[in-house]
Amino acid sequence: MSKNIARKVYNISVIGAGHVGLVTASCLADLGHKVCCMDNDSAKIDLLQKGEIPIYEPGLKELVSTNTLQGNLFFTNSMEEAVVHGEVIFIAVGTPPKESGEADLSYVENVAREIAQLMDSYKLIVEKSTVPVETGEKVKNTINLYIEKDVPFDVASNPEFLREGSAIHDFMHPDRVVIGVDSERAERVLTEIYGPLNAPIIITDIKSAELIKHASNSFLAMKISFINAVSRICEKVGADVEKVAQGIGLDKRIGQEFLKAGIGFGGSCFPKDLDAFIHIAENLGYDFKLLKEVKRINEEQKRLAVQKIKDVLWIIKDKKIAIWGGAFKPETDDIRGAPVIDIINELLNEGATVSLYDPQAMENLKIIFGEKLHYADDKYQAIEDADCLVIVTEWDEFRNIDFDFLRQRMKLPFIVDGRNIFSLQKLQDKGFIYCGFGRPQITNSKSGVKK
Ligand code: UDX
């Protein structure tokens, strides 16, 4: 259990047992609150009640089991139970993108309506899902429309900044907690809930809090696309983007993080939130061209991976391409928006055979690609007789490699390093053809094709 214990214990309900909901519920329980986590997916709730976790997130299983045993956390598929239990109700349901890029808020609306019909005492309803600015207002209107009993309520915005793979750490040690409120009561309650974290708390109006989430994610995506654009220039002149990123990142105003060049960002947040923010701006009469360009650069990076293979192999048809990594980043099995999907589709379209290995995401990749790929049991099996190895996700187990073994087993000693994890010097010494992103390319292996 966390050493930071809440001074005042709240009855809290979290609606939605997805990544954000589950992490939020178990961390709030760990702070000592009494938390009910609700989802209308009964199969998921059955799993959680048995102590099984439907997603891969380091530390989550332990956190759920400790807090369930201690009686601070329980799961239900009953909305009524959740609304009766929680004085504070976090809405953490999905806001998936529609075809236009606009967020689909029907789940949020549905939850707001149900809460309105079921509540019989004061409730603080907190938006946790990433939602467009002015959603708070719409939630409030919906509750006012459907409320059945004459009870007071508040709406607040409390965006999450959790990264998959380090979500528990991010929850417990946030850079800041953002609380958007329009009543003193809501401010007090949320400040008390987050007090034990000892993090800076930013109190704003609801709309500003909603915008902070979109602006933060877009800014981070912009940093990545910026360094990727710089990496293109580096390649043209033979400079090394790793050094350039280090050189600019040491300026405190810029910062070192989110300056890793490569095949670009994926995930359930950046691509979706960028689209949503572009759409929100458009609706408000502002053409956010900067963000459209951030998106375009990211798309280009994925295509660049296949281009680099073509630059060396010329024709991809009938070549065996090994891929290490599929998850959109290490320490997760999540492949939503992952660059690997576009890369594999392009390789298959060109007629390549693809052999894939990822330590966690294989099952999810099988759902998308079925029989179209060869799924290797381990990283070395994947590269057997391959014409090229592409690094897509920088899992730790890919960093320390026996390059001599690799060279013996591959048909060609050729690596496209989508995350710049290898040392140029080492790859040159070992006789590899090596194409990183934004780094000098080694286009000739010392002794050419293995005999
Ligand atoms: C992100 C935000 O960081 C988090 O605050 C928000 O709440 C949800 O979205 P997440 O999607 O889990 O979190 O992953 P993150 O670690 O931010 O990485 C996103 C993508 O960017 C990954 O595909 C990663 O590989 C890529 N990335 C990240 C880069 O390509 N370069 C970088 O320098 C950093």
Side-chain angles (χ1 to χ4, degrees), residues 19-20 130 159-166 170 176 213 216-217 220-221 223-224 227-228 256-271 273 298 327-330 332 334 337-339 392-394 418-419:
H19 218 115
V20 172
T130 300
E160 55 82 20
F161 301 99
L162 311 176
R163 289 164 302 173
E164 286 184 30
S166 56
D170 291 350
R176 79 303 203 189
K213 171 70 193 200
S216 298
N217 271 0
L220 292 170
K223 261 186 116 174
I224 300 171
I227 199 67
N228 279 332
Q256 302 261 26
E257 292 190 52
F258 283 73
L259 285 180
K260 284 293 294 172
I263 52 175
F265 56 79
S268 64
C269 289
F270 284 175
D273 291 356
N298 198 53
F328 82 97
K329 65 174 195 179
T332 175
D334 197 343
V392 173
T393 316
E394 66 279 31
R419 299 292 178 185

Side-chain angles (χ1 to χ4, degrees), residues 80 105 147 157 193:
E80 186 170 1
L105 298 173
I147 196 161
S157 163
I193 287 177

Side-chain angles (χ1 to χ4, degrees), residues 182-232:
D182 61 4
S183 87
E184 273 177 27
R185 183 172 185 176
E187 175 179 339
R188 181 177 45 77
V189 171
L190 283 169
T191 310
E192 278 172 354
I193 287 177
Y194 284 107
L197 296 181
N198 293 322
I201 295 184
I202 315 289
I203 308 285
T204 72
D205 56 283
I206 296 176
K207 289 178 197 170
S208 301
E210 290 167 337
L211 271 175
I212 287 170
K213 171 70 193 200
H214 275 295
S216 298
N217 271 0
S218 303
F219 190 87
L220 292 170
M222 181 181 76
K223 261 186 116 174
I224 300 171
S225 279
F226 176 81
I227 199 67
N228 279 332
V230 171
S231 81
R232 303 296 297 277

Side-chain angles (χ1 to χ4, degrees), residues 174-394:
D175 289 346
R176 79 303 203 189
V177 173
V178 175
I179 293 176
V181 282
D182 61 4
S183 87
E184 273 177 27
R185 183 172 185 176
E187 175 179 339
R188 181 177 45 77
V189 171
L190 283 169
T191 310
E192 278 172 354
I193 287 177
Y194 284 107
L197 296 181
N198 293 322
I201 295 184
I202 315 289
I203 308 285
T204 72
D205 56 283
I206 296 176
K207 289 178 197 170
S208 301
E210 290 167 337
L211 271 175
I212 287 170
K213 171 70 193 200
H214 275 295
S216 298
N217 271 0
S218 303
F219 190 87
L220 292 170
M222 181 181 76
K223 261 186 116 174
I224 300 171
S225 279
F226 176 81
I227 199 67
N228 279 332
V230 171
S231 81
R232 303 296 297 277
I233 308 293
C234 290
E235 278 180 18
K236 290 193 190 297
V237 297
D240 187 345
V241 73
E242 295 293 310
K243 297 284 173 211
V244 176
Q246 191 186 11
I248 62 176
L250 280 170
D251 184 327
K252 287 196 194 73
R253 293 169 302 174
I254 296 173
Q256 302 261 26
E257 292 190 52
F258 283 73
L259 285 180
K260 284 293 294 172
I263 52 175
F265 56 79
S268 64
C269 289
F270 284 175
K272 170 172 91 82
D273 291 356
L274 258 187
D275 278 343
F277 204 20
I278 290 169
H279 208 273
I280 292 165
E282 223 153 67
N283 281 346
L284 295 168
Y286 180 69
D287 185 3
F288 216 146
K289 287 191 185 138
L290 176 65
L291 295 188
K292 289 180 179 168
E293 191 55 18
V294 167
K295 195 177 150 180
R296 193 197 60 76
I297 292 169
N298 198 53
E299 292 304 314
E300 207 168 69
Q301 291 306 107
K302 294 184 232 174
R303 286 198 298 274
L304 209 56
V306 178
Q307 187 54 50
K308 283 174 188 290
I309 304 175
K310 281 188 189 164
D311 287 347
V312 173
L313 296 183
W314 182 25
I315 302 291
I316 293 185
K317 188 167 183 292
D318 297 332
K319 302 282 163 52
K320 177 173 175 182
I321 312 295
I323 294 186
W324 281 1
F328 82 97
K329 65 174 195 179
E331 297 305 328
T332 175
D333 62 351
D334 197 343
I335 55 163
R336 286 176 291 175
V340 80
I341 298 172
D342 290 349
I343 293 172
I344 293 177
N345 278 329
E346 206 174 329
L347 290 171
L348 294 175
N349 282 343
E350 297 267 352
T353 310
V354 176
S355 173
L356 175 82
Y357 173 70
D358 183 285
Q360 290 293 340
M362 297 296 259
E363 293 309 314
N364 287 335
L365 287 156
K366 280 179 194 168
I367 295 171
I368 296 194
F369 292 106
E371 303 289 296
K372 291 182 191 158
L373 314 182
H374 172 252
Y375 302 94
D377 293 336
D378 61 54
K379 57 181 182 251
Y380 289 120
Q381 193 191 72
I383 53 93
E384 205 64 51
D385 222 25
D387 299 277
C388 172
L389 164 63
V390 188
I391 311 291
V392 173
T393 316
E394 66 279 31

Side-chain angles (χ1 to χ4, degrees), residues 52-64:
E52 284 168 43
I53 306 293
I55 48 168
Y56 176 75
E57 177 64 46
L60 187 57
K61 195 174 165 60
E62 295 74 15
L63 206 63
V64 167

